[in-house]
Each structure stands twice: as C-alpha cells, then as structure tokens.
Amino acid sequence: MSFLTGLRNNCYLMFVIVAICIVLFPTVVKSDTPANCHYDDIVGTWNFYIGPGGHDRKLVCSDDHYLHIARKTQIRLYFPNLAFDEMNNNGTWTMIYNQGFEIKINNQKMFAFSQYKAVGDKYVSLCHKIKTGWVHNVDGSNWACYRGSKEIQAKEKNKMKKSDHDLPQPAASFFLNRMYQPNPDFIKTINKNQTSWRAGHYPQFQNMSLRQIQQRAGVERRLPFPPSAPVTRKLQKMAEQLPKNFDWRDVNGVNYVSPVRNQGTCGSCYIFSSLAMHEARIRIATNNSQTVVFSTQEPLSCSEYSQGCEGGFIYLLGGKYGQDFGFIADECYPYQGETGKCKSSNCTRHYTGEYGYIGGYYGACNEPLMMLELVQNGPVGVAFEVYQDFYSYKGGIYHHTGLMDKFNPLEVTNHAVLAVGYGEDPNTKEKYWIIKNSWGDAWGENGYFRIRRGTDECNIESMAATAFSYPDKTNSKSSSH
C-alpha cells in the first residue's frame, strides 16, 4: 500500500461531478425537471433576493412559500466558472446539466433549479429565472431561501423569443407498455459486426415491460453531454506516470469496493452511484476497517435536490446532499425501490467533504483527469449515454455499435454508474474503464462492465464525479432529517 498511500497523501484534485439518471412515470415520460437551459442562458448579471437567515438544514424552500426579502445581492457569472459580486468578491459557479446552477462565493453556497412553465403542449424554459433555492454558509450554518432573475439585454430578449429550449410536454408512450421480446437476430448482428464485446439474452428481461427496462437506465436523453475537455501535454505526462492497469477491487489482493446492488425499475442510479463512491472511499481511508453500506432509500425519499425515482445528479446527491444532510446506514432505512414519503430518522449521519465536477466545472473533465482522480482518491461517479445494444452486454469492452433493435425500441437514456478502475487488453491493446453497475450481479461481468477508454465513448469521460468522504470518527453526527 506504500504506492497508494503516497498518492493519497499528495491528492490535489478536489472536485466532484454530476451524474444523471432519469425515469418514466407509468403513463408519461418525464426526466428530472422540464427545464432546458444552456451556458449562454445563465452567464450574465443576476439579482438574487434572499430571505431571513439563521435557519438550519430543516428549512423548507419552495415556490409555494411566501419569501420575505431580507437582503439583495447582485452576482455576475462568467463562462465557464467565475463569479463576482457587487463588492468584487470572487468565487466560482457551475451548471448542473441543463437543470440549474450552484454558486460558491463570499463564504456562501447558493443552489437553485432553473424556472419553467407549461404553455399549451410545451414546457417553456424560463432560464432567466430560478425556482426558490437554498443558500447557506460554507460550514452548513445560517440557512435561508432565495429567488433570483437575470438582467436581460435587448439582444437576449430577441433570442428568447426564438428560443429552441422549449420541450414538448410528455405524452403517453404506449409502446413502452409492451413486454420485452427476445430478438436473437439483433444479438447475432451485434456479435457479427464487432469482436470487442459479446452480446447475449437476459431471461429476466422477459418478465419486464419495455418501460421497466428503460427505467433502469433513465429516459430519453434531453441534450447531449458536453464533449470531454482537451488534454494538455502536462496533464498527459502526469497520467503516463500512473499504473498501466488499476482496479480498486484488487489492490495487492485487497478489495475496497462495496458489493454490487440492484436498483430495480426505479430511476435511482444516481443514488446508487453516489453512495457506492462514498462506500469505497471510506473503505480506502480506513483500510477496510469500516465497511458501511449506505441507505439508498433515505435520499430517494427525502432529498429536495433530486426527483426521487424520476432522476437526479451525482453532483447534487453524492456531493451537495451528502455535505448538507449526510447519509445513514442501509439497515436504518432499507431500499423499497419507490420514492415513498420521507420518514424521520435518528440514525447516525455520515457527512461528506468537498465536491464538484472533475476539472472544476461542468464540461471540464477528460480521460487523464479521471485516471488521476480515480487512482489518487478512489472510485468516481460517472454518467454516460445508454443505447439499445448496451442492454444485451454480456462481457468484453463495450462500444456503441450503432445497431437498433426494432422489436425493443428503447430511447437513448442517461445513466449513472461508478468507475472503479481502468486497463488495457494485452492482446488487442484496446483501453477500457472498469465500471460498477447497479443492475445486480447477474448482469454483465458479475454486475460490472468494461467500456472503451480514451475516446469519450458514450460521453463517459465528460461528466465524471468525485466527493471526499469521512470515516466515522472524523465527521459523523446524529440528527434527524
């Protein structure tokens, strides 16, 4: 462990990402919130109106509550991640996919989802406004609610009238109620057209509708992930100093990764990915003397930063929720596979440390940064795009074949998983990531899969995430949500 200890003692990449997992209602398609905002919608000058402070984390902030304005602040957001307030204090900010943004400035953190409304048969994104959000000190004290709006220039008003960000309201997808049909021809075609990975049939799918299968990986992709960031020569040289093959399941014969779990048909992959990351990092920090398995049901039912079985993000769940509210052990709040009503718990809460996108902001990640973060600090949460052929994956190094299954017409979706290692095939020299899924150990390579590395396959290298975890003795508290 001397090599690993040295790396951990020199860790310097203190960022965490996002991840996405979105799901279908029984009769409609819905993914997270209907907001669809881009960087150029958010950059600019914002006026924020903040309510009375002095509250704790139990504060409820919603559009249904009257907000008494205690103070106002103006913050200018610059691309890609710089922020300045009216007193010229500087800070940082990041988009969270297309859903909202978080600002860290002047010893405070501010997060809110972007606003939207239903108009006719469309959802109109009001990207110049936010829904009621949460603001508190960096140390987790002094909570308040806030709202805000962006100062709109004349040219921006014209652009807003021609906005391409409006989304159609979800309509019933009746074909998703059909039962899954095994398609031997599709599997044969996959195996015939490439040799990197092997496709096969999963008998358990025959007991599921297409809707239930798709819920395991999300719903229709809202917009493409950003491409991975350019790689500098300096960064490449740093990555070249890392081991050629690395796997947290086998470090000098020791496994630091928690067991594979099964999310069922709830779109909770973002929770399983986030908590598996923390479980592994606590095992690493304590040399496996602490092997907690966290409750996935508690944040599924209780997190205001995500939408339960309808989806969420690693950045908000594994990062922000873990720091603001903490996680409890699985036996305290067992998994039910449905959102459910939040129940009070007095179990010990494990709070996490700093978080952010790898690279510092949304869209700044790439292969070398992922490798460095993974080896130096532990497994990282990643999001990637799931195509029809992925459901038939049995083993090997996956890449999207471009083939379509006409009998099982599933949409391209966004899915959150955990990167635990990387390697290179000794025969073909094909590079890959080692990924832990949350579809049970009867899927893939005992619950894992490998996917091409270095090519941003399915955009897996553009939104990787990490969060710092504390063992029991250093940062645990007992409190109710």
Side-chain angles (χ1 to χ4, degrees):
M1 289 294 292
S2 59
F3 169 73
L4 297 174
T5 302
L7 284 174
R8 289 199 299 273
N9 289 339
N10 289 286
C11 58
Y12 61 93
L13 295 173
M14 299 186 68
F15 315 102
V16 165
I17 80 172
V18 83
I20 304 168
C21 177
I22 312 166
V23 36
L24 299 174
F25 273 145
T27 56
V28 299
V29 178
K30 186 176 182 180
S31 55
D32 297 303
T33 77
N36 183 23
C37 301
H38 303 173
Y39 259 115
D40 56 357
D41 300 313
I42 305 302
V43 295
T45 300
W46 284 78
N47 294 311
F48 295 115
Y49 305 91
I50 303 172
H55 299 279
D56 61 18
R57 58 176 55 90
K58 296 179 182 178
L59 177 67
V60 175
C61 296
S62 75
D63 290 347
D64 296 330
H65 288 74
Y66 172 75
L67 181 66
H68 173 72
I69 307 300
R71 61 187 177 93
K72 173 186 173 183
T73 185
Q74 186 176 84
I75 299 178
R76 176 78 181 178
L77 304 179
Y78 292 90
F79 179 85
N81 71 325
L82 293 180
F84 293 87
D85 67 13
E86 65 267 70
M87 301 300 292
N88 211 33
N89 295 306
N90 67 293
T92 60
W93 73 285
T94 183
M95 291 283 294
I96 301 170
Y97 193 44
N98 63 346
Q99 301 282 283
F101 55 96
E102 184 177 51
I103 304 170
K104 300 178 183 179
I105 192 170
N106 198 24
N107 195 42
Q108 290 192 318
K109 294 184 178 182
M110 309 173 69
F111 162 69
F113 289 106
S114 294
Q115 189 61 270
Y116 58 88
K117 66 179 180 180
V119 177
D121 62 349
K122 292 184 177 181
Y123 279 118
V124 176
S125 299
L126 305 176
C127 299
H128 62 295
K129 295 182 179 180
I130 57 170
K131 298 180 71 64
T132 304
W134 300 262
V135 56
H136 58 74
N137 291 345
V138 170
D139 65 5
S141 65
N142 193 28
W143 285 62
C145 301
Y146 80 105
R147 294 175 185 164
S149 60
K150 177 184 170 183
E151 294 186 355
I152 306 298
Q153 305 299 319
K155 60 180 181 180
E156 289 183 292
K157 289 182 179 179
N158 293 331
K159 179 184 175 183
M160 289 171 60
K161 293 178 181 179
K162 303 175 182 178
S163 174
D164 61 354
H165 300 343
D166 298 349
L167 298 173
Q169 285 206 40
S173 300
F174 296 108
F175 75 88
L176 289 174
N177 293 322
R178 289 166 32 186
M179 298 302 290
Y180 170 83
Q181 300 180 56
N183 187 354
D185 290 338
F186 180 58
I187 292 173
K188 288 179 182 178
T189 303
I190 292 174
N191 291 329
K192 181 180 178 180
N193 279 269
Q194 53 81 43
T195 58
S196 292
W197 62 282
R198 185 179 77 262
H201 170 58
Y202 286 97
Q204 60 266 38
F205 285 179
Q206 290 182 237
N207 298 319
M208 296 183 184
S209 67
L210 296 183
R211 186 182 309 280
Q212 290 175 318
I213 291 174
Q214 184 159 297
Q215 283 175 337
R216 292 156 65 88
V219 293
E220 183 179 359
R221 178 183 58 187
R222 297 284 297 278
L223 75 163
F225 291 168
S228 58
V231 178
T232 64
R233 181 57 187 158
K234 179 180 179 180
L235 184 59
Q236 187 62 49
K237 285 184 176 180
M238 292 171 64
E240 289 172 355
Q241 303 304 309
L242 297 174
K244 192 172 184 179
N245 296 275
F246 189 84
D247 186 348
W248 279 109
R249 298 173 301 173
D250 183 7
V251 180
N252 298 328
V254 180
N255 178 18
Y256 293 94
V257 182
S258 56
V260 170
R261 302 176 72 182
N262 194 335
Q263 70 186 73
T265 57
C266 170
S268 52
C269 56
Y270 65 101
I271 301 177
F272 280 84
S273 172
S274 297
L275 298 189
M277 174 173 62
H278 289 296
E279 290 162 0
R281 290 185 170 213
I282 287 175
R283 283 164 165 76
I284 294 166
T286 65
N287 198 24
N288 273 334
S289 65
Q290 294 179 25
T291 57
V292 61
V293 173
F294 289 119
S295 169
T296 50
Q297 186 63 44
E298 196 275 343
L300 181 66
S301 298
C302 300
S303 174
E304 295 292 335
Y305 299 156
S306 47
Q307 287 74 47
C309 279
E310 298 170 47
F313 301 87
I314 299 173
Y315 181 98
L316 294 177
L317 195 287
K320 186 169 181 61
Y321 187 83
Q323 186 178 84
D324 288 349
F325 296 98
F327 304 120
I328 62 177
D330 185 61
E331 59 264 25
C332 293
Y333 210 137
Y335 187 61
Q336 300 296 317
E338 57 184 16
T339 301
K341 183 179 180 181
C342 180
K343 301 176 182 178
S344 178
S345 170
N346 290 319
C347 296
T348 298
R349 290 189 174 270
H350 304 249
Y351 292 81
T352 63
E354 278 305 309
Y355 60 93
Y357 288 100
I358 291 179
Y361 56 89
Y362 175 69
C365 189
N366 56 36
E367 179 200 9
L369 282 175
M370 275 183 65
M371 293 173 65
L372 287 162
E373 176 64 26
L374 191 153
V375 174
Q376 293 173 343
N377 295 320
V380 299
V382 294
F384 76 109
E385 296 169 339
V386 174
Y387 294 86
Q388 289 181 17
D389 56 1
F390 182 76
Y391 295 95
S392 300
Y393 172 87
K394 284 283 187 174
I397 303 172
Y398 172 80
H399 66 274
H400 175 44
T401 62
L403 299 171
M404 305 292 286
D405 183 356
K406 63 180 180 180
F407 291 119
N408 302 292
L410 299 169
E411 302 285 354
V412 180
T413 59
N414 297 333
H415 187 42
V417 287
L418 185 75
V420 303
Y422 60 84
E424 180 180 301
D425 186 280
N427 298 315
T428 65
K429 304 302 179 184
E430 190 170 15
K431 299 191 301 181
Y432 57 83
W433 297 107
I434 303 168
I435 308 293
K436 178 184 179 183
N437 203 354
S438 52
W439 293 355
D441 57 14
W443 181 90
E445 297 179 333
N446 298 316
Y448 289 79
F449 66 97
R450 288 173 290 161
I451 186 171
R452 274 184 183 170
R453 173 169 60 92
T455 61
D456 200 18
E457 182 66 39
C458 299
N459 292 109
I460 199 167
E461 291 161 6
S462 63
M463 292 208 304
T466 182
F468 284 80
S469 308
Y470 294 115
D472 268 355
K473 61 183 179 181
T474 57
N475 195 21
S476 296
K477 302 175 185 177
S478 179
S479 65
S480 59
H481 188 282

